[in-house]
Amino acid sequence: MQNTATPTHCPYCALQCGMNLTPVPDGGVEVTERADFPVNRGALCGKGRTAPAVLSSSVRLTSPLVRSGGTLVPATWDEALDRIAEGLRRTRAEHGPDACGVFGGGGLTNEKAYTLGKFARVVLGTSQIDYNGRFCMSSAAAGGIKAFGLDRGLPFPLEDIPRTGCVILVGSNLAETMPPSLRFFTELKENGGTLIVVDPRRTKTADHADLHLMPRPGTDLALALGLLHLIVAEGRVDEAYVAERTAGWEEARAAAMAHWPEYVERITGVPVPQLREAVRMFCEPEAAMVLTARGPEQQSKGTDTVGAWINLCLATGRAGRPLSGYGCLTGQGNGQGGREHGQKADQLPGYRKLDDPAARRHVAEVWGVDPDSLPGPGRSAYELLDALGRDIKSLLLMGSNPVVSAPRAAHIEERIKSLDFLAVCDVVLSETAALADVVLPVTQWAEETGTTTSLEGRVLLRRQAITPPEGIRSDLEVLHELADRLGVAKGFPTDPEEVFEELRRASTGGAADYSGITYRRLAEENGVFWPCPTQDSDAHPGTPRLFLDRFATDDGRARFVPVSHRASAEEPDDEYPVLLTTGRVVAQYQSGAQTRRVDELNAAAPGPFVELHPRLAARLGAAEGDPVAVVSRRGRAVAPARITTGIRPDTVFMPFHWPGEGRANTLTNPALDPISRMPEFKTCAVRVEAVES
């Protein structure tokens, strides 16, 4: 490679911040500022700055590994691929195609996600494929589709945020999870706008709020309904907009009117004067937005909760208008594109539904197969993992670490151990990879070209900056080799641009239409917003703002969805009197499989902790730093106490990045939303105990 800077994007969160990569003599790369990308304008968080550290051979996998006598030992690529093919072939022969499972990740590029879904359905013939993005924004997706007929994280670019009048930010600590985005909210306030943060913790994000609402975990639905009740009672409904652009208002209105302010205060703990102030701040400016994240979404009623916040936007005319709307802050780097193109259990490329005959015909024609040969929808992520070792005997896993990231993680770890065969493709030996029969070392972001789709719906081109070490192959090469060994010699190219060209054809006419997007356009235009059905940029520049003329429903109207508050799947009782909520810290990312291998990040966030209120700490006799145990019906986790008045007295918080005795997801509840199949990560009943040193 020439020693010149390559413009590309960060491998971590859904901001996909722009950066330049310059090769350095030791074979790695140096990250430098890339000011031309509008999302971060050169700014990077610590994770982005230190991302090249994981390219080092001292922390990454450098050879295929196979299990021999209970131990993973180095092997040749042919030996490892042959063993995977044989494991999958044997499972199909003995138990049928649906005994083979495939589990993907929201960090895979569009090309990889597309090929993985195609591999599952064409080569293995299995319906059992899903991905960890199900744990990210599936409730927001389901709510958006119900209301608007289309799901895209943000229906407007981030640059619109500073120009609106008010933002309600629900369940997001973006100051830590995506720090470069905080400037949009700082600029909002500098321009005279206001920020309302909804969070049971006084986070770094809440420190920037004009109004901080601290609801009890699991009560965001009641809070949204209480605000809508006040909007109706105070005569703040945009009646003309509701009549012209929506349907279903009367039913939604009736449901909201059952949630009067004092009732909502009893449920949420948010005082009525704060509810009234939030309504005033949201309704007085001409434009406003509601943005949700995992807080309200990772609940067993997450879809309804998102629907209630969308109803708030619709009733006030704050959707499908400039500088207004509902949006979701996607978490994973390609959480949006990852589900659009086929690794989600019920979807085909282009955001087509797998049970739609026309969609099946279209995609089958692109793939050159009989539509009837495509399996139907399969299990959602948690349900797939829960079926391991029972209905599903073999698993091919790419870009995910469910031993740390799945709810009820100790149970999922046991299910993984019970498999007949497990193959993992990863860049590091994650806790899940350590249990595999075969582990394949694959290329990373700086070593490969591919596309991702950011939280804005902006399709981006990540460019290869350095040559991968000898012996490392891409996920596309892995799938090509496995398809060939399993009898499908064609249809699985290894060149990412060739894969993207096929993806464009498969997405044509779909909700997420990429047919007008090319690698050339992505390079020249700094990304293109989907849908984009025409290659000519003058004829169609992409769609940065959705719904300004009509919504993506049959009649063009948005749909109110009548919803009512209901309890979380698990409420506190005498045995488990406290609520646990989980989340992230600024220096670690997701399951920490990569960031926990970076010295600078570990120095900033060396391990798990339990955040608790001084009153709870006093009852336990726990001081700052003392080990405390958090116990749920699913297990026990131990970590040092971090005592703060910035959390509700009835709530404790744990970050979920670490394995071992401090694994937060040992405790979490896999109760599923009936529509999105999202597990209830954000609230469960626990007790907290002092631990003798």
Side-chain angles (χ1 to χ4, degrees), residues 503-551:
L503 181 157
R504 291 174 56 213
R505 297 196 302 275
S507 74
T508 301
D513 190 334
Y514 284 30
S515 59
I517 303 174
T518 64
Y519 272 29
R520 179 190 59 78
R521 285 193 65 178
L522 294 177
E524 292 177 354
E525 300 173 36
N526 226 348
V528 178
F529 292 86
W530 69 260
C532 182
T534 304
Q535 283 193 52
D536 183 347
S537 59
D538 292 330
H540 203 296
T543 314
R545 295 171 182 85
L546 297 170
F547 312 137
L548 295 181
D549 298 319
R550 67 189 315 273
F551 295 97

Side-chain angles (χ1 to χ4, degrees), residues 532-610:
C532 182
T534 304
Q535 283 193 52
D536 183 347
S537 59
D538 292 330
H540 203 296
T543 314
R545 295 171 182 85
L546 297 170
F547 312 137
L548 295 181
D549 298 319
R550 67 189 315 273
F551 295 97
T553 56
D554 290 342
D555 60 6
R557 290 173 173 264
R559 300 288 189 269
F560 281 97
V561 179
V563 293
S564 296
H565 170 72
R566 62 181 186 274
S568 298
E570 189 175 80
E571 293 286 348
D573 56 22
D574 291 342
E575 187 176 3
Y576 301 98
V578 177
L579 288 167
L580 168 70
T581 192
T582 64
R584 287 168 46 191
V585 298
V586 66
Q588 301 289 352
Y589 181 72
Q590 303 299 79
S591 76
Q594 295 184 38
T595 51
R596 284 187 276 111
R597 287 166 167 81
V598 179
D599 290 342
E600 180 180 330
L601 300 179
N602 282 333
F609 57 86
V610 180

Side-chain angles (χ1 to χ4, degrees), residues 222 225-227 229-230 233 256-273 275-276:
L225 287 162
L227 296 178
H229 177 110
L230 285 170
M257 296 315 288
H259 298 77
W260 59 94
E262 292 76 15
Y263 173 57
V264 169
E265 179 179 324
R266 289 200 300 273
I267 294 170
T268 65
V270 178
V272 171
L275 298 176
R276 295 188 183 279

Side-chain angles (χ1 to χ4, degrees), residues 23 107 140 186 303 311 360 654:
T186 302
T303 302
N311 286 350
R360 293 168 67 87
M654 290 187 72

